[in-house]
Amino acid sequence: MVKKMEQLYEGKAKKVFATDDPNYVIVSYKDDATAFDGTKRGTIMGKGAVNNRMSNFLMGKLSEAGVPTHFVEELSDRETVVKKVRIVPLEVIIRNVSAGSFAKRYGVEEGIVFDEPTFEFSYKNDDLHDPLLNTSHALALKLATKEEIETIRSMALKINDILKAFFADCGVRLIDFKLEFGRLPDGTIVLADEISPDTCRFWDAKTNEKLDKDRFRRDLGNVEEAYQEMMRRVFGK
Ligand code: UDP
């Protein structure tokens, strides 16, 4: 087992620590929640453990299905060893149903089911508020190569197929989600970051009740309960 060393970085929802192996880092999930570019802040009790355990479980499923990920080993409720990657500075978003910024940007209601999933990405840059980008912009800014963008697109769509089917079995509709990818030292692209109620929209299949971070963003109440309910859906099958 690797040894935890100094903290390298503290983000909004996670801390990252060095280890005695240069190829691995340890991520530690916090209960802190932020929304709207960090302007709304709060705590969601137990969120760190839910996100850590759910994300690891889903990455395991994806890995079995042939999707390479950064996951290495779960250490505890909140801590996981992952491969050290250079993050591709793109926030990749797949949507199956209109919601959130898509509904707002294009002036449509939430809940429209798309014939095909949509693929988009933003520039991961807090100072610029994560602006939306197209492929030619990403290439002009040298954020990724053409081949990397193609790899990321096909991996993201495959991940959507796998997760959509998995959550349907849990009685949950996968509305949309955000992914991040990283480069291993040899340049291989792997899925990184997390897959959790912080980064996905989940609606109950029967009632369309929201079971994700929108409960926090929109002050809908029962925030902790929604995270715990998603744990039961995923692990209780
Ligand atoms: N998302 C995320 N981090 C971000 C922005 C979005 O994890 O910084 C997720 C969000 O939870 C949702 C999906 O990506 O599942 C699409 O989000 P959207 O673009 O609709 O933006 P939002 O309405 O969350 O601002």
Side-chain angles (χ1 to χ4, degrees):
M1 198 160 87
V2 295
K3 194 163 149 250
K4 186 168 157 186
M5 315 273 279
E6 79 278 7
Q7 184 175 310
L8 296 174
Y9 169 82
E10 175 159 10
K12 286 176 267 193
K14 296 191 277 296
K15 293 178 184 172
V16 180
F17 296 88
T19 71
D20 54 354
D21 183 328
N23 294 312
Y24 294 146
V25 294
I26 292 174
V27 291
S28 178
Y29 285 72
K30 305 191 286 182
D31 285 350
D32 299 355
T34 63
F36 309 121
D37 244 350
T39 54
K40 183 180 171 84
R41 285 162 191 277
T43 302
I44 303 174
M45 292 283 287
K47 172 172 88 74
V50 169
N51 289 5
N52 180 44
R53 294 190 51 210
M54 189 184 298
S55 189
N56 292 341
F57 178 82
L58 294 171
M59 292 227 185
K61 288 249 167 245
L62 292 169
S63 172
E64 281 167 21
V67 177
T69 81
H70 71 165
F71 175 74
V72 178
E73 186 190 4
E74 187 169 284
L75 295 178
S76 67
D77 261 10
R78 278 173 198 275
E79 294 200 325
T80 294
V81 183
V82 299
K83 290 179 186 163
K84 185 171 185 171
V85 298
R86 283 171 299 130
I87 288 283
V88 178
L90 297 174
E91 298 208 339
V92 175
I93 292 176
I94 297 285
R95 303 177 190 272
N96 297 304
V97 177
S98 67
S101 72
F102 182 96
K104 197 167 166 205
R105 189 181 326 127
Y106 303 118
V108 297
E109 76 221 62
E110 295 200 309
I112 302 166
V113 179
F114 303 143
D115 292 342
E116 296 287 333
T118 68
F119 170 86
E120 75 199 43
F121 44 74
S122 321
Y123 182 15
K124 188 173 154 64
N125 183 320
D126 280 341
D127 294 339
L128 299 175
H129 315 291
D130 300 341
L132 201 61
L133 285 175
N134 67 25
T135 300
S136 64
H137 297 150
L139 293 175
L141 293 167
K142 298 201 185 319
L143 304 181
T145 66
K146 215 175 236 177
E147 292 70 34
E148 285 176 332
I149 293 174
E150 224 8 84
T151 302
I152 287 172
R153 180 200 301 271
S154 56
M155 280 173 71
L157 291 169
K158 179 172 177 180
I159 291 166
N160 183 46
D161 287 341
I162 298 163
L163 294 183
K164 225 169 52 174
F166 172 77
F167 283 112
D169 284 345
C170 307
V172 170
R173 297 174 72 196
L174 178 62
I175 304 302
D176 59 26
F177 56 97
K178 187 260 304 180
L179 300 173
E180 293 183 27
F181 293 86
R183 301 176 180 103
L184 296 180
D186 71 356
T188 307
I189 297 282
V190 299
L191 178 64
D193 195 47
E194 66 179 280
I195 306 173
S196 72
D198 272 15
T199 63
C200 303
R201 284 195 169 92
F202 297 127
W203 293 0
D204 179 82
K206 288 206 186 90
T207 64
N208 281 331
E209 184 192 359
K210 296 185 197 319
L211 297 171
D212 57 59
K213 195 173 154 191
D214 271 348
R215 300 206 74 84
F216 167 77
R217 293 191 188 97
R218 303 179 187 187
D219 295 322
L220 299 176
N222 295 326
V223 183
E224 277 86 2
E225 290 78 358
Y227 279 73
Q228 295 302 330
E229 177 59 23
M230 280 307 302
M231 274 299 268
R232 280 193 289 276
R233 299 285 180 105
V234 167
F235 287 98
K237 291 197 322 154

